[in-house]
Amino acid sequence: MLNKVLITIFFLLINCFSLLAQNKDDAERPEELPDDVVVDSIIKIRNPINPLSPAKAAFYSAILPGLGQAYNKKYWKIPLVYAALGTGIYFYTTNNKEYNRYRDAYKSRLAGFTNDEFYFDANGNQLSTPRVTDDGLRRAQKLFRRNKEISLLVTVGLYALNIIDANVDAHLLQYNVDENLSLVPHYKINEMDATGNLGLTLNFKF
């Protein structure tokens, strides 16, 4: 007899839980509206987070500088990227050209020739003594070689910065910065000792 009562109570409890679950599902499920009913509301659907977006932006910028910025729709950054890289390349090529000038003149003098460009004035007349000495050629080579190496490092750094910028931008574009998430300061007076408390409050609405 006791077993029958326990079994009956068990089945009644199961039925109650199933009914409650069904009612909860029905409450959460939106009601079907007739075709002639217009809902006067705005539903904002957030874009889904794409975890591969930062990697794609970085990959595109690595292939072609500025392409990652275009992928992130930050088109105004593309001229800045090319201006920075163009400046670095310009200084590298200029210093490399000057380095080659002084190196060629120095190698010519080591070979015993006295007809390099520094043996002539602006009018093309050959001078008895060169405008730049051998020691000056060595110092000029050292200076321009260092400058072109620095220019190369800066250009490579700007290229890497272009990749990092695209990657970080893609991360930031997916951050939740709407009004449901806010960080606001607050000031509260302590009623016990009449002192003030200053702090920050993080609010998250969902």
Side-chain angles (χ1 to χ4, degrees):
M1 184 68 180
L2 182 60
N3 291 336
K4 292 182 179 180
V5 173
L6 292 176
I7 292 173
T8 304
I9 295 173
F10 177 74
F11 281 108
L12 286 174
L13 289 174
I14 291 178
N15 290 329
C16 289
F17 281 123
S18 62
L19 288 174
L20 287 174
Q22 183 177 1
N23 291 334
K24 184 178 179 181
D25 291 338
D26 293 337
E28 292 178 353
R29 187 182 301 113
E31 298 181 359
E32 294 183 3
L33 298 175
D35 295 337
D36 57 344
V37 176
V38 178
V39 179
D40 187 13
S41 62
I42 298 176
I43 301 175
K44 183 179 180 181
I45 301 176
R46 296 175 183 169
N47 294 328
I49 295 178
N50 183 6
L52 297 179
S53 179
K56 286 183 179 179
F59 177 72
Y60 292 153
S61 284
I63 294 178
L64 180 64
L67 190 59
Q69 283 73 17
Y71 174 77
N72 294 331
K73 298 182 180 179
K74 295 294 183 70
Y75 303 107
W76 62 272
K77 289 187 176 182
I78 298 177
L80 299 179
V81 170
Y82 280 98
L85 292 176
T87 302
I89 294 173
Y90 168 77
F91 280 107
Y92 173 79
T93 54
T94 301
N95 285 289
N96 186 57
K97 181 179 178 180
E98 293 298 318
Y99 169 77
N100 290 332
R101 281 182 59 208
Y102 288 93
R103 185 192 62 177
D104 293 342
Y106 185 69
K107 291 170 66 175
S108 177
R109 292 187 190 180
L110 290 179
F113 297 101
T114 57
N115 59 352
D116 59 79
E117 61 175 293
F118 299 105
Y119 268 100
F120 297 89
D121 59 14
N123 297 324
N125 300 320
Q126 189 169 8
L127 305 173
S128 58
T129 57
R131 292 182 288 114
V132 181
T133 62
D134 293 351
D135 185 59
L137 293 177
R138 286 192 295 268
R139 285 188 282 106
Q141 290 180 73
K142 184 177 179 180
L143 172 65
F144 287 112
R145 180 173 58 190
R146 184 187 63 182
N147 288 346
K148 76 170 186 176
E149 289 173 353
I150 293 175
S151 300
L152 179 61
L153 289 176
V154 170
T155 305
V156 172
L158 292 172
Y159 172 76
L161 185 62
N162 146 73
I163 299 174
I164 295 172
D165 173 76
N167 183 274
V168 172
D169 257 350
H171 274 292
L172 294 178
L173 286 175
Q174 302 189 84
Y175 277 178
N176 181 13
V177 291
D178 58 13
E179 295 179 354
N180 292 333
L181 182 63
S182 61
L183 183 66
V184 295
H186 69 83
Y187 182 79
K188 182 179 180 182
I189 298 178
N190 192 337
E191 298 178 356
M192 300 297 295
D193 53 3
T195 59
N197 297 325
L198 182 65
L200 292 175
T201 302
L202 178 64
N203 297 321
F204 181 67
K205 300 177 184 178
F206 56 91

